[in-house]
Amino acid sequence: GQQVMQIPQYQHVQEGEDFTTYCNSSTTLSNIQWYKQRPGGHPVFLIQLVKSGEVKKQKRLTFQFGEAKKNSSLHITATQTTDVGTYFCCLCGDDKIIFGKGTRLHILP
Amino acid sequence: DTAVSQTPKYLVTQMGNDKSIKCEQNLGHDTMYWYKQDSKKFLKIMFSYNNKELIINETVPNRFSPKSPDKAHLNLHINSLELGDSAVYFCASSPGTGSYNEQFFGPGTRLTVL
């Protein structure tokens, strides 16, 4: 069946360093969504990517969708303590929803 | 004016008991979901309903039964609770079914089975 692989599982960075999490699918995706979950909180929608090769930015966050629509990445520039949390990609379809296992980001002061 | 609310927030119970978790959304959304998040933080879909119709029904034990009395509510009833049911359960809603619709999550219900 369809799988969504997300790496790395954990990432520790010094405050101010960059961070990237990657999501790979075994099949072509119609779209991909990204969510953030703060410690003790609930997932919060960040963005949706639909088009091949699409790049979207939200302040220090850059989201990319691969040309083949089989992979996606989330890059954070100059991390801050507010970026702490787990980032999930989601293959969120009409009749199938698969979340990646998430990347837990720890920020070292 | 909470968008997606769940009750209770915490639920501690003994093995073998039956319990329910309630979810309500005031966003006017057509689709609602139940997720289970285990201790490793993996987020897994259990069910989704669109306008009270079951859309997604992942392979969960039939001890779990969702009920949608109207499109603003999706409750989760669990029979004969087991230790492995301990997890955080999230309810979510979206304007339509999964594709191209962001999901709004409730605060979660932490279930502990002793």
Side-chain angles (χ1 to χ4, degrees):
Chain A
Q2 192 160 22
Q3 293 185 5
V4 174
M5 304 291 292
Q6 189 173 356
I7 56 170
Q9 194 172 350
Y10 300 94
Q11 184 89 60
H12 292 78
V13 299
Q14 293 280 348
E15 189 175 3
E17 289 182 340
D18 293 356
F19 158 78
T20 305
T21 172
Y22 301 90
C23 205
N24 296 297
S25 167
S26 53
T27 58
T28 302
L29 303 168
S30 59
N31 68 88
I32 194 160
Q33 297 180 4
W34 285 92
Y35 290 79
K36 176 185 178 181
Q37 183 177 19
R38 292 181 186 273
H42 58 274
V44 175
F45 176 84
L46 293 176
I47 209 155
Q48 177 170 262
L49 304 171
V50 177
K51 299 177 185 174
S52 167
E54 189 169 18
V55 177
K56 287 189 176 180
K57 294 194 177 197
Q58 288 179 352
K59 297 183 180 177
R60 295 176 295 103
L61 276 61
T62 302
F63 303 84
Q64 291 191 325
F65 204 8
E67 293 290 340
K69 299 181 76 172
K70 285 189 174 183
N71 56 75
S72 180
S73 64
L74 157 57
H75 179 82
I76 303 179
T77 305
T79 53
Q80 300 175 358
T81 54
T82 53
D83 296 325
V84 163
T86 302
Y87 294 84
F88 294 96
C89 60
C90 178
L91 188 177
C92 287
D94 288 339
D95 57 358
K96 194 83 178 166
I97 293 178
I98 305 173
F99 273 80
K101 291 187 175 177
T103 296
R104 202 174 303 184
L105 173 63
H106 295 267
I107 307 286
L108 305 169
Chain B
D1 56 346
T2 306
V4 182
S5 59
Q6 294 178 229
T7 53
K9 190 169 173 62
Y10 299 96
L11 186 51
V12 181
T13 188
Q14 298 284 339
M15 261 195 324
N17 283 350
D18 303 340
K19 290 293 178 186
S20 291
I21 308 172
K22 294 186 176 181
C23 179
E24 176 181 1
Q25 54 95 3
N26 63 5
L27 297 166
H29 288 168
D30 286 342
T31 308
M32 295 185 73
Y33 312 81
W34 275 110
Y35 289 89
K36 179 180 180 181
Q37 186 169 49
D38 62 21
S39 57
K40 293 182 179 178
K41 303 296 184 188
F42 299 155
L43 199 58
K44 195 158 168 32
I45 182 75
M46 299 174 72
F47 305 101
S48 77
Y49 271 75
N50 185 57
N51 268 321
K52 301 186 347 178
E53 180 187 348
L54 182 64
I55 302 295
I56 294 177
N57 184 2
E58 288 294 318
T59 45
V60 299
N62 57 15
R63 298 181 294 103
F64 290 78
S65 52
K67 283 191 170 48
S68 183
D70 54 62
K71 73 174 193 177
H73 296 84
L74 181 61
N75 303 324
L76 184 65
H77 188 76
I78 315 170
N79 287 329
S80 302
L81 278 156
E82 299 178 357
L83 293 176
D85 298 331
S86 295
V88 179
Y89 291 84
F90 286 103
C91 175
S93 73
S94 63
T97 52
S99 293
Y100 314 110
N101 283 285
E102 72 175 271
Q103 295 181 43
F104 294 78
F105 282 77
T109 295
R110 183 174 292 276
L111 171 64
T112 303
V113 183
L114 303 174

